[in-house]
Structure formats: structure tokens, C-alpha cells
Amino acid sequence: MRVAPLILVAALIACPATGANAVNDSDVERLIERQLVPALLGEDGIGGVAVAVRIGGHTLFFNHGWADVANRRPVMANSLFNIASVRKVFEAIVLAQAVQRGELRFDDRVEQYVPELRQGGTIREVTLGQLASHTSGLLLPTDHPPWPEHGYTLEGFIRALNTWTPEMGQRPGQTHTYTHAGYVLLQLALERQFGLPIGQLIDQRVLKPLSMDATVLPAHQLDGEHAPLPDAVQGYGEDGEPIGVPGNQQSYYDFPGTGQMFSSARDLATLLAANLGDGRIDPDLRAAMQLAQRSVFRISPRNAQALAWEVNNLGGPTIVDKPGGIDNASAYVGMVPNQRLGIVILVNRGSRNPHEVARNIILPELARF
């Protein structure tokens, strides 16, 4: 199979490097080509990778492989990928900004915004901050394998929340339990508070201010047949077989706004630069991004949880990051904030785990450049 070559494009985003550029772009390219791409695509070469590296005050883009193997459409920096749970970063920023503005508080109980939960038990204790930091203890069958055959309507979701009880001896705020259901509930609370669909909230408060014009939360039918999303890549499973059409969304929640977002390496590079403090950004939004990166719960001596972001110190530089993945897509955004360094990795193939190679090899190596 002929494989699309690695393409390097350098671009100035937010601000140029000052003085002589100490970073050799070819060194970065070799690291991506030799260490990252083989780890993500494997030997069969099915699918592709879009990478953006923020280093030395500028951004480098690397595109490798195919957005659509059958049609020989190469991956580009503008290709749209399913970003899976990286979407949670956007909702965390919306929440952090709302807290800064005094529109709500982290300690507000979610029942204040979703009154149907006042009939429940433990769920009445859960706060917005706990949902955003995965410390609510909330865990439903849709959060972990073996995956259930059926999901939830909105009414069914509310019923499940009202009957939910935490693991023996646990209370909200005391443990760390990664939960997709918690962010679906956070979505509902934000929508109720502001009277807008979550897609519009994210668009108004994050995407438009950053001019992330390509990023979208599609409104088409979840897990169903629909026209391909323009510029979206074809998704492939771990075995290399195509899954869904370009723009395919998957969810166990059968109500609007619960699918995945789609973005490009170019758009996420803008988000990355903004989170690193580069460029001209509204001070209110910049402060919200910084607030969302702060550790709020210690998971282990080397790992902590912020709002959506994870904070990792594995013996090298401190890395703030967010992985994401479903069966036909893998995504990652990671930063070394004290060096204003970061990376975006998008793969149109499931179960690639880009966070492993990024945390253990790529970001530590980049930090030494």
C-alpha cells in the first residue's frame, strides 16, 4: 500500500519566536516521523495522523497518511477529526469562565440547575466542580466495558441518576472516577443555566473568540446514517476497517448535544497556543483557561485532576493534557506549560492511545530541544 508522505508545514500562530530560533524544525520533524507516526499507524499504514507542535513561539504541522484510504485523500492540517473526550476541555472552559463571571459556582449542586434531580438521593449532593473534575463518584454502565446494548433517553438518564448510589463507602468529592456521564450531566446544567444548546455555548464562549471556525458539534443523527461531514476524515477501527461515514458520531445518550465534536489540527493548535498564554486573547477567556488547568484533586503522587485536564509528573516535565478516543478515532492535546510547549495529535483510527507515546517520549524529548 502506498502511504502518503509526512508533510511539514511551519506557520506562525499567535506570536512569533523572539530572537534567534533555538529550535531546529528538522529535529522536531525527525522525532515525529520516527517515534510518533509508527507508534500510531503501525505497519499496515491504514488511516492518517495530523500533528501540531507548539514550540519556540511558533507552530509546526505534520500530516501523514490518509484521511480516506479508498479515495486516496491525504490528511491535511485542515482535515476534521473526531476529537472524542477532548471535547470535555471546551465544557470545562465554559464552566470556568462562568464561575469567574459570577454566573454560577463550582460548589453549586447540580440539582439547582437540573431540578428533576431533587427527587434523587446521592445525586443531590453532587456539585458542578465535582462533575468537571471527575470527583462526583458518578458511574453508569455507559462509562466502562462491558458496554451496554442500550443507552439513555433524557428521561431515562434522569431516572438512572435519581437511583444512582456510589460505591460502598464513597461520597461525592472524596474519590476520582473518570465518568462520561458526569460530563453529560454538566452539559445539561450549563444548557439549563444559560438557555442555550451546549454547541452554541461552546461556539459563543470559546470557538468564536479564538476564531476556531472549523470546529463543530454536528447536529446530525447519532449512530445513524447521514451525509458525510465536509472535510471530515474517514474513521477506521483498530483492525483497519472503516467505521461509519466521515463525521460519524457515537453516543449512548439519545438527546441533542451528546455526540463528539470535530476539529482540525490547525484549529486545535490555536486552542493550544491560547492555553499556553500565547497571542492576543480576551483576558476573561485567558483566565478561564488557566483556571481550568489548575489541579483540584490528587489522584496519585504523580497524577492530579484539573477541570477536564490531567496533570502528570512522570519524572520529567510536568505535563497538562487530555486524551480522547472512541472505536474509530484517537485524539490528544498535551502541554508543558512552564516551557510554553505543546502538541496536538489526531488519528482517524481507534485504540491508538497517543497519550502514551506523547507523555513518555515526545513531550519529554521536545522539552529538551
Side-chain angles (χ1 to χ4, degrees), residues 146-190:
W147 304 112
E149 294 183 3
H150 303 287
Y152 297 102
T153 62
L154 177 56
E155 293 76 13
F157 184 48
I158 296 296
R159 284 196 300 271
L161 294 173
N162 279 331
T163 59
W164 163 73
T165 56
E167 297 291 329
M168 183 68 67
Q170 295 183 4
R171 303 304 301 175
Q174 296 179 355
T175 60
H176 179 268
T177 304
Y178 190 89
T179 167
H180 303 292
Y183 263 79
V184 175
L185 181 52
L186 178 61
Q187 168 196 325
L188 284 177
L190 292 171

